[in-house]
Amino acid sequence: MGAPESYHLTHLEQLEAESIHIIREVAAEFERPVMLYSVGKDSSVMARLAQKAFYPAPLPFPLLHVDTGLKFPEMYEFRDRFCGEVGANLVVYQAPEVADPAVNPWDLGTVRCCALLKTRALLDALRAGGYDAALGGARREEERSRAKERVYSFRDARGQWDPKRQRPELWNLYNGRLVRGEHMRVFPLSNWTELDIWLYVEREAIPVVPLYFARPRPVVVRDGQMIPVYEHTRLHAGEDLRELMCRCRTLGCYTCTGVIPSTAATVPDIVAEMRTARRSERITRIIDHDQDGSMEQKKREGYF
Amino acid sequence: MMGSSYSASSTGQTDILRFMLAGSVDDGKSTLIGRLLHDTGAVYEDHLDSLRRRAAQLGQAGPDLSLLTDGLRAEREQGITIDVAYRYFATPKRRFIVADAPGHEQYTRNMATAASTADVAVVLIDATRGVLTQSKRHAFIASLLGVPHQIVAVNKMDLVGYAEEVFERIRAEYLTFADRLECRHFTFVPVSALAGDNVVKPGVKMPWYSGPTLLSCLEQLDRGGLRDCLGLVDLRLPVQYVLRPSADFRGYAGTLASGIIRTGDEVLVLPGGRRTRVRRLIHDRRDVQYAFAPQAIAVCLEDEIDVGRGDMIVHPANLPWLAEELELIVVWMHEQPLRPGCEYLIKQTTNLVHARPSQIHYEIDPDTLRRRPAESLGLNAIGRMTCQLMRPLLCDEYSRNRQTGAVIFVDPIGNFTVGAGVIIDRSHRYRRPADEEPADLAPKSTPDRLGLRDRVGLDTPPQRLALLRQRACTIWLTGLSGAGKSTLASALEERLLAGGYSCVILDGDRLRSTLNRDLGFSPADRKENIRRTAGLARLFNEAGVTAIVALISPYREDRQLARQAIGCERFVEVYVDAPLDVCEARDPKGLYRRARAGDLPQFTGVSAPYEPPERPDVRIPTAEMPPDAALERLWAVLDKRGALLEHS
């Protein structure tokens, strides 16, 4: 009769099963689904879950990267390699303004820059591709306003999110019904925490961008954030460069993403660091601090 | 695959407990969640900082923990929460997902949403106000949605002087009400969320309370217990997606709603009803020998069958209902009321079908549990109804299966999710009160059913057959002590459970230490031992449960009486045959040694006779075959006799 059978699932396996169920549900029920790919750790995990969901078949949807042109150079390198390994069909969308040198957070401010290059660009990209469902890697634990986000987040024909019009979500019975023009954002990682993501990266040996690992990097301190300095980083008068042993906790544009001081150079190091983390991960996103309740505002407008 | 640093201790091989928190802002619910998150270290410094700044602005002494869980700006302005929010925290023992169900507007709808996935409901009661109608509503909805445990947190104990009488009075009142609910598991904890007593840390102010803190309750709750009873029995694999990467591969992907599936299993694909076998099982990108709920898997079948989304893969002896009409308890969630004759879409497992409610039987007042007639069900109403389906659905009773017994209603035009329903037993069809006469309250003996009962004699009542969907029998293992009866009984039990049959072992030794402890080993006592055991087996069979009897039962006449008591059509006599010298050499309990020494008088085989069966249904020579083969032989006989087959 073989080895004794065990019927226990660890918490990661429970989360994995739930996520795969959601991803398959999207593939089955929508006409043109797409998986948003932001190159970050959550995207890496989501792509792995999708591989598992459809094995041995290839992913039945493309990965969509909404590129601001301002991502860390390491991210572009990683993106192309990763998508090749996964065997995914990568679609890159850039807003027309990406080519405009005046569109940058230093001249426009982070709020307007984000609105153009990310929020509007995402809606345009979805429209251009005719996508009716976009799988995203957002987690409820990430930010307070996301605690009430549904797994299936309904967006009207203008791409807007209205907290009052979200559908009740019971059991694992997701309601994906839409009329033309509307779309659904779907978050299969809703119930994962940042620690779960890293434990899963460790367990599955999932590749992630090297920016997550600590090493000495040149940084500049600005508005309480430590911003890594790249070739095109604009330095303000009186700002000094210094070298810091640090890593990124979340990834975004190199212009607006801070680092944290850290010596965690491997995934197990990060897991250990995470267990004692005292600050939330979005603390290093400049845009989240622009105004109180800002994430909710951005979400209403269609930001991820 | 796993890194070398990945170990049980570093990852904490824990499971996830989902609990819902029911209560209103006035009960101190937000403070309680804030307290749980704060005291388990789940609150980040920067979040706490923003609360401290806010407290300073308002001139308050310390941060208001209740604000930790206030997500949306509109709610923060109104000071209330209007939607279910999900929170996350962990201890070294377990990870928790909290469904925070708000207590004000849209109340029932939110409660039901939170309860649908909860393993346990924490019901918050304000000690200064006692058990309110809304507390009863919480208890009822959690129970209706099948939440198996309730933890009642009696909060604000600091405001009642930490008085034991207050706590005891609330407990007694709650239990009186809860007696009318399906839920049977209640735990009560006196807490002060504000002061932190008995939430995470024990409260020193209540020396009279020696029970666990709220967090300890949540950590210790046996989530597996319930799942193992039911969740692994009925194989239900709703097909979600068809994988067809190439001409030579066709796999059916889905999440196991319940049960265990193994390669080689004989399965039925419903509703088509084609019978085939499992050729491959794929989980985690590799082939596996077995899989269990709630894993997300893919299945390849032996035969080329047309299988698609919405079909269900099951074991042939354990079938769901194929329902063209559903009896439901519905929680309505939309301003536009539910009315008979209106058309809706119902989503159940991976199916979406058109449906039309034909009749609303009654509405239930969740505060009093009273039923009243209703023509429609408005927002937040709960009621019982019958619903016609345009296409049949494969389902189970919700109390048996929280996956295949659940439905949502979708408005086919606006696409909003307008309601949720749980499927109830179709054999308990509701009759209008006007039709009900006292005589009808007893199980109805329709001529049809009487005929059935007359024909098959001692058969299981039809309602129970419908419930358990198996033909119960008694498998009577007779043989010398040490012949291998208990071993075979255990192996058989395991196989039966895995196949979706519900069964019980009646083991001679265990019965002799309990029910039959007044009996000795004289022929008369042995006869009485067998009479009682046979009576017990019959009771189980009538309740739809298969009984495996492991009893020396040395006398032919006694076994014949057992056969008659149980009914020959469901009595399977198994001769577990091993020569005396083999049994004596095995002597697992040292009984032969004691019998030979004269310690045990009237010991079968030594000082009392054993009369082997003349025509057993099967003889299992355990000295000549390994346990696996023994089980296979027995199984084949049971299968051939149809003792296990589904009663359709």
Side-chain angles (χ1 to χ4, degrees):
Chain A
M1 291 198 166
E5 297 181 353
S6 151
Y7 311 119
H8 178 78
L9 291 184
T10 65
H11 83 273
L12 285 181
E13 290 163 341
Q14 282 176 266
L15 291 170
E16 178 188 68
E18 177 184 74
S19 301
I20 290 175
H21 179 82
I22 294 163
I23 292 169
R24 284 172 171 170
E25 205 61 7
V26 168
E29 286 206 317
F30 291 91
E31 277 174 33
R32 271 182 79 79
V34 67
M35 179 171 273
L36 299 177
Y37 179 69
S38 73
V39 200
K41 61 188 187 301
D42 306 302
S43 285
S44 285
V45 166
M46 191 164 60
R48 169 61 55 89
L49 291 165
Q51 285 181 289
K52 291 192 181 192
F54 303 107
Y55 177 86
L59 303 194
F61 38 67
L63 300 190
L64 171 64
H65 181 216
V66 177
D67 180 20
T68 59
L70 295 170
K71 300 295 172 188
F72 290 98
E74 291 94 327
M75 289 170 70
Y76 294 108
E77 193 185 305
F78 178 87
R79 177 189 73 187
D80 297 336
R81 187 158 39 84
F82 181 83
C83 290
E85 282 169 15
V86 172
N89 168 20
L90 175 70
V91 176
V92 177
Y93 181 90
Q94 286 191 335
E97 291 85 353
V98 167
D100 184 346
V103 178
N104 64 64
W106 305 296
D107 293 321
L108 279 186
T110 57
V111 175
R112 283 187 61 201
C113 185
C114 253
L116 278 174
L117 298 187
K118 288 176 81 172
T119 310
R120 217 197 62 204
L122 171 59
L123 291 177
D124 289 344
L126 294 177
R127 210 166 289 133
Y131 302 117
D132 55 351
L135 288 151
R139 292 173 282 110
R140 288 185 184 130
E141 169 247 25
E142 235 174 295
E143 211 269 344
R144 270 196 297 174
S145 75
R146 284 190 172 156
K148 300 184 181 192
E149 183 62 279
R150 304 296 198 280
V151 172
Y152 274 38
S153 180
F154 171 78
R155 307 298 160 107
D156 65 20
R158 291 180 303 138
Q160 309 287 299
W161 177 81
D162 178 353
K164 298 235 178 204
R165 284 189 59 202
Q166 297 304 309
R167 301 167 178 176
E169 218 160 55
L170 295 99
W171 298 289
N172 59 0
L173 297 174
Y174 302 105
N175 174 1
R177 299 262 304 173
L178 297 173
V179 298
R180 187 165 289 283
E182 296 170 343
H183 76 275
M184 201 69 84
R185 304 277 173 92
V186 180
F187 304 115
L189 303 180
S190 284
N191 285 327
W192 295 58
T193 65
E194 189 185 8
L195 176 60
D196 296 329
I197 293 290
W198 283 113
L199 287 171
Y200 198 70
V201 165
E202 183 182 27
R203 186 184 118 134
E204 301 280 321
I206 296 172
V208 291
V209 184
L211 284 162
Y212 286 114
F213 303 115
R215 67 175 180 78
R217 293 184 172 91
V219 301
V220 61
V221 179
R222 182 179 293 164
D223 303 328
Q225 294 279 359
M226 288 164 283
I227 308 291
V229 176
Y230 281 78
E231 190 188 343
H232 301 291
T233 304
R234 205 182 291 176
L235 292 179
H236 301 318
E239 283 184 334
D240 285 331
L241 278 186
R242 65 183 172 111
E243 192 158 271
L244 180 73
M245 188 69 175
C246 62
R247 67 179 197 90
C248 286
R249 202 164 155 194
T250 66
L251 297 184
C253 298
Y254 74 87
T255 51
C256 297
T257 303
V259 294
I260 54 167
S262 168
T263 55
T266 64
V267 175
D269 289 349
I270 293 175
V271 167
E273 182 186 275
M274 199 82 340
R275 289 186 185 281
T276 54
R278 296 303 309 146
R279 305 183 79 75
S280 70
E281 59 185 306
R282 298 201 69 89
I283 192 91
T284 55
R285 296 283 184 98
I286 291 175
I287 47 167
D288 292 353
H289 308 293
D290 278 349
Q291 60 197 98
D292 194 28
S294 60
M295 181 62 102
E296 183 189 345
Q297 193 62 39
K298 279 197 289 290
K299 263 172 65 175
R300 282 174 181 278
E301 288 159 7
Y303 180 78
F304 214 89
Chain B
M1 198 104 136
M2 297 179 185
S4 57
S5 61
Y6 182 82
S7 68
S9 63
S10 82
T11 61
Q13 293 272 329
T14 51
D15 61 354
I16 294 177
L17 186 88
R18 292 169 193 254
F19 73 90
M20 66 176 296
L21 192 46
S24 72
V25 177
D26 302 334
D27 301 328
K29 184 173 60 95
S30 299
T31 310
L32 183 75
I33 293 200
R35 175 60 64 187
L36 271 173
L37 298 178
H38 180 266
D39 287 8
T40 54
V43 183
Y44 291 123
E45 278 298 319
D46 47 306
H47 289 170
L48 215 48
D49 278 346
S50 81
L51 292 190
R52 290 196 188 106
R53 280 199 301 274
R54 194 182 182 81
Q57 280 168 13
L58 296 171
Q60 292 162 345
D64 180 351
L65 292 181
S66 72
L67 294 177
L68 280 172
T69 56
D70 255 346
L72 301 180
R73 177 186 286 189
E75 293 172 37
R76 251 177 291 160
E77 282 162 6
Q78 294 165 39
I80 56 161
T81 50
I82 53 171
D83 212 340
V84 183
Y86 295 87
R87 322 280 174 198
Y88 303 83
F89 69 96
T91 69
K93 294 200 177 117
R94 208 166 228 179
R95 316 210 123 224
F96 297 95
I97 301 178
V98 192
D100 176 1
H104 285 283
E105 61 173 303
Q106 310 248 315
Y107 184 90
T108 300
R109 163 179 133 172
N110 291 325
M111 281 278 307
T113 301
S116 69
T117 52
D119 300 307
V120 56
V122 175
V123 179
L124 202 58
I125 290 184
D126 180 342
T128 65
R129 297 192 295 165
V131 180
L132 304 177
T133 48
Q134 68 167 27
S135 319
K136 296 176 181 171
R137 181 185 282 240
H138 295 148
F140 169 61
I141 294 168
S143 178
L144 177 69
L145 271 286
V147 182
H149 301 258
Q150 293 186 13
I151 298 175
V152 181
V154 181
N155 191 27
K156 303 195 187 177
M157 287 302 291
D158 50 321
L159 297 185
V160 295
Y162 296 101
E164 184 177 9
E165 312 84 76
V166 176
F167 175 69
E168 287 302 332
R169 194 172 63 235
I170 288 171
R171 185 219 299 260
E173 197 183 333
Y174 195 93
L175 284 176
T176 306
F177 173 82
D179 203 36
R180 295 149 70 192
L181 303 176
E182 294 285 322
C183 181
R184 294 265 67 95
H185 300 278
F186 300 92
T187 309
F188 293 80
V189 188
V191 304
S192 166
L194 199 63
D197 297 300
N198 285 338
V199 179
V200 172
K201 299 163 190 161
V204 289
K205 305 239 177 58
M206 290 173 274
W208 46 266
Y209 176 77
S210 56
T213 63
L214 177 59
L215 184 67
S216 305
C217 286
L218 292 167
E219 283 182 325
Q220 287 160 16
L221 200 84
D222 181 14
R223 199 183 137 272
L226 186 92
R227 206 172 63 94
D228 290 345
C229 290
L230 289 176
L232 294 177
V233 175
D234 309 329
L235 171 63
R236 303 285 184 263
L237 177 61
V239 175
Q240 199 182 3
Y241 190 83
V242 179
L243 300 168
R244 220 169 323 180
S246 61
D248 55 355
F249 183 96
R250 185 189 283 234
Y252 307 107
T255 304
L256 282 159
S258 59
I260 303 167
I261 189 168
R262 296 181 176 83
T263 51
D265 274 4
E266 184 170 61
V267 291
L268 282 184
V269 181
L270 299 177
R274 281 287 303 271
R275 192 180 281 245
T276 180
R277 284 188 186 276
V278 176
R279 189 161 57 83
R280 287 176 70 187
L281 278 178
I282 295 168
H283 175 251
D284 200 3
R285 294 193 291 177
R286 58 209 154 95
D287 279 67
V288 294
Q289 290 305 304
Y290 73 103
F292 56 95
Q295 287 179 328
I297 61 165
V299 177
C300 301
L301 300 174
E302 289 283 357
D303 302 290
E304 286 259 329
I305 305 179
D306 185 24
V307 182
R309 178 174 166 89
D311 288 350
M312 190 184 277
I313 295 174
V314 303
H315 283 139
N318 180 322
L319 304 180
W321 300 334
L322 184 64
E324 291 176 5
E325 154 183 306
L326 293 177
E327 282 291 300
L328 296 162
I329 304 278
V330 171
V331 178
W332 202 246
M333 304 186 154
H334 203 256
E335 287 84 0
Q336 198 70 39
L338 174 145
R339 289 183 204 286
C342 292
E343 189 164 317
Y344 300 98
L345 289 164
I346 276 186
K347 187 169 182 185
Q348 181 254 1
T349 65
T350 52
N351 275 297
L352 194 66
V353 302
H354 284 272
R356 200 181 292 262
S358 54
Q359 194 178 14
I360 297 172
H361 302 297
Y362 52 78
E363 183 175 350
I364 306 171
D365 181 340
D367 301 332
T368 61
L369 301 191
R370 289 225 175 85
R371 299 169 181 185
R372 56 172 177 254
E375 299 299 317
S376 66
L377 295 177
L379 177 64
N380 291 321
I382 298 172
R384 174 159 177 178
M385 62 170 230
T386 306
C387 194
Q388 307 299 323
L389 305 173
M390 305 301 142
R391 196 156 55 78
L393 287 175
L394 296 155
C395 56
D396 293 279
E397 197 182 352
Y398 185 74
S399 62
R400 188 174 175 91
N401 196 316
R402 280 177 88 183
Q403 303 299 317
T404 56
V407 307
I408 58 168
F409 286 79
V410 176
D411 168 11
I413 296 168
N415 292 334
F416 203 75
T417 303
V418 290
V422 302
I423 297 169
I424 52 183
D425 185 355
R426 59 177 173 178
S427 68
H428 296 155
R429 185 148 305 158
Y430 178 78
R431 294 179 301 279
R432 283 274 178 194
D435 307 337
E436 271 178 9
E437 290 163 23
D440 271 346
L441 294 175
K444 210 168 168 96
S445 302
T446 61
D448 177 13
R449 281 182 187 166
L450 272 178
L452 181 68
R453 195 166 297 174
D454 286 342
R455 199 169 60 250
V456 297
L458 292 160
D459 212 344
T460 312
Q463 301 99 311
R464 291 191 191 279
L465 274 179
L467 199 66
L468 289 162
R469 280 152 282 163
Q470 67 178 28
R471 183 178 290 161
C473 61
T474 295
I475 298 143
W476 191 283
L477 310 179
T478 172
L480 293 170
S481 177
K485 297 184 296 298
S486 299
T487 309
L488 187 57
S490 301
L492 178 61
E493 177 189 44
E494 197 179 312
R495 180 80 174 263
L496 283 168
L497 289 176
Y501 300 99
S502 99
C503 63
V504 62
I505 292 183
L506 301 176
D507 186 81
D509 288 347
R510 286 193 59 194
L511 287 174
R512 277 191 174 275
S513 65
T514 53
L515 177 71
N516 298 338
R517 68 176 171 204
D518 56 326
L519 300 178
F521 293 88
S522 69
D525 275 3
R526 285 184 194 270
K527 188 187 284 285
E528 174 62 9
N529 185 28
I530 286 168
R531 190 191 68 80
R532 290 184 195 175
T533 307
L536 205 52
R538 179 186 161 157
L539 275 176
F540 272 112
N541 285 177
E542 283 177 356
V545 178
T546 287
I548 307 165
V549 177
L551 212 57
I552 297 174
S553 45
Y555 300 113
R556 264 179 221 130
E557 188 198 340
D558 293 350
R559 293 195 298 265
Q560 186 55 31
L561 289 173
R563 181 190 291 270
Q564 283 167 10
I566 289 162
C568 54
E569 72 282 357
R570 62 183 179 206
F571 186 88
V572 183
E573 189 177 47
V574 182
Y575 181 25
V576 184
D577 186 11
L580 180 61
D581 55 340
V582 172
C583 295
E584 202 161 351
R586 286 175 185 162
D587 205 12
K589 294 166 239 168
L591 297 173
Y592 284 97
R593 196 167 32 80
R594 290 174 57 200
R596 293 287 178 199
D599 281 350
L600 295 175
Q602 298 179 310
F603 192 74
T604 303
V606 176
S607 45
Y610 179 78
E611 301 170 5
E614 284 169 342
R615 286 196 310 278
D617 292 285
V618 56
R619 175 180 158 269
I620 311 275
T622 58
E624 296 161 23
M625 48 172 49
D628 285 5
L631 179 60
E632 284 311 321
R633 176 175 292 190
L634 175 53
W635 190 262
V637 169
L638 295 175
D639 202 21
K640 197 169 155 204
R641 265 201 49 170
L644 301 167
L645 282 187
E646 151 79 359
H647 174 100
S648 58

